Amino acid sequence: MRAFWTVLAILFAALTVGSLAALNEGAGGSIGLSDIAVAAVLATLAWLSWGARR
């Protein structure tokens, strides 16, 4: 079960990095609150998954 939570945490972390990288390439250069919220939710899920692997 520990491997499952580790893989899930890595997946969420990769999605977080991808969403933050997409913010830099955003159309028009404006960053919306929803873009930041998505990155925050993904980062929180990665952190919780990492904590659940114990």
Side-chain angles (χ1 to χ4, degrees), residues 7-36:
V7 168
L8 197 61
I10 291 170
L11 173 69
F12 284 132
L15 287 171
T16 302
V17 170
S19 68
L20 291 175
L23 290 177
N24 292 334
E25 299 176 1
S30 63
I31 298 174
L33 184 60
S34 63
D35 297 330
I36 296 170

